[in-house]
Amino acid sequence: MEHILNLEQVKKYYGGSTGNITKAVDGISMYIDKGEFAAIMGASGSGKTTLLNCISTIDTVTSGHIFVNNQDITEMKEQDFADFRRENLGFIFQDFNLLDTLTIEENISLSLIINKKNPEMIKKKVQDISDKLGISDILSKFPYEVSGGQKQRCACARALINEPKLILADEPTGALDSKSSRLLLETMENINQKLQATILMVTHDPFTASFCNRILFLEDGRIFNEIW
């Protein structure tokens, strides 16, 4: 099986020589296979969000290596991070991160528009992905006109539109009620199975993690167990 993500002894420490050092990520080695739907689960302060930030190039590691699609992102220059994220990663955030001044369609297609892709191609891709996620009837609406679950499915569409190698989801159900949470998780499960999207999700919630194929448990910056 092809590893889309591979971590080798990754460490992320905070603090300097004059103060206490916090070992947020303490020597983690792990991998995510192509087409996998995996969760990193742990309590608040366990290091899971820091780990996700390092994988997404939002933060840099203290030591170790992170490979995404066989590319060592720990050796990349900072000016190359934006292009790398755009070409390889999709993001699903807890608070949606949609722009209220843009329609649902414009939110989904924004990255393609910025990259000056062909307008006809953009329209077709948006229509295809919104049909799959059941939001084609709200494309002309604005985020404040739709439900939380619809916003999050819009966020899923935006994450998928560039056909990323890896989708990173940070507590995606954190701002949703139980019904919307289930709908979102079923949607993520569906795009994993039918579109072969590779998803790595961070969560503290056992119900959310139950939708994944594999769960890695994090405590004090280390993986101490996993369930298949």
Side-chain angles (χ1 to χ4, degrees):
M1 187 69 73
E2 179 186 353
H3 293 348
I4 289 295
L5 174 68
N6 197 20
L7 276 66
E8 297 178 354
Q9 284 297 311
V10 171
K11 298 181 180 181
K12 178 61 181 181
Y13 296 167
Y14 294 104
S17 57
T18 57
N20 294 329
I21 294 177
T22 301
K23 297 179 179 180
V25 177
D26 192 16
I28 288 180
S29 295
M30 58 171 277
Y31 66 88
I32 301 295
D33 282 334
K34 184 177 182 179
E36 194 171 6
F37 186 6
I40 296 175
M41 191 174 176
S44 178
S46 61
K48 58 188 189 297
T49 296
T50 300
L51 182 61
L52 201 70
N53 287 344
C54 290
I55 294 169
S56 66
T57 70
I58 291 171
D59 206 346
T60 56
V61 303
T62 301
S63 64
H65 295 274
I66 300 175
F67 298 88
V68 177
N69 200 33
N70 295 318
Q71 185 174 2
D72 188 350
I73 63 174
T74 59
E75 300 292 336
M76 287 174 55
K77 296 178 181 178
E78 190 171 347
Q79 60 263 33
D80 297 327
F81 285 160
D83 286 342
F84 168 80
R85 286 192 290 264
R86 185 170 60 248
E87 293 168 6
N88 294 277
L89 303 178
F91 297 91
I92 302 174
F93 302 97
Q94 179 177 329
D95 55 357
F96 317 132
N97 278 18
L98 301 178
L99 298 174
D100 283 334
T101 56
L102 300 180
T103 65
I104 296 298
E105 181 175 9
E106 289 166 340
N107 267 284
I108 295 170
S109 62
L110 184 59
S111 64
L112 297 179
I113 294 170
I114 290 172
N115 290 330
K116 297 181 174 61
K117 299 296 184 181
N118 181 279
E120 288 186 8
M121 181 273 283
I122 293 174
K123 194 165 190 65
K124 185 180 184 306
K125 290 193 76 169
V126 171
Q127 191 62 56
D128 286 347
I129 198 66
S130 59
D131 283 345
K132 288 183 173 74
L133 296 181
I135 54 172
S136 56
D137 58 332
I138 62 166
L139 289 177
S140 62
K141 294 187 176 182
F142 290 89
Y144 59 83
E145 296 179 304
V146 303
S147 69
Q150 288 171 321
K151 288 178 185 176
Q152 198 58 293
R153 274 182 282 165
C154 171
C156 284
R158 181 187 57 193
L160 284 164
I161 198 73
N162 277 328
E163 300 176 9
K165 304 293 188 302
L166 177 65
I167 294 173
L168 302 174
D170 188 4
E171 299 281 6
T173 61
L176 301 177
D177 59 34
S178 58
K179 181 181 178 181
S180 295
S181 293
R182 177 179 283 277
L183 284 172
L184 172 66
L185 291 165
E186 288 172 352
T187 298
M188 293 175 69
E189 188 176 49
N190 190 44
I191 64 177
N192 167 249
Q193 293 174 356
K194 292 188 176 181
L195 303 180
Q196 289 299 297
T198 307
I199 306 171
L200 177 61
M201 176 172 63
V202 159
T203 184
H204 69 278
D205 177 45
F207 174 75
T208 300
S210 71
F211 282 78
C212 298
N213 311 120
R214 182 162 60 113
I215 307 170
L216 298 101
F217 294 91
L218 207 62
E219 185 177 59
D220 297 329
R222 296 185 177 188
I223 294 173
F224 70 92
N225 198 10
E226 64 178 288
I227 295 176
W228 293 81

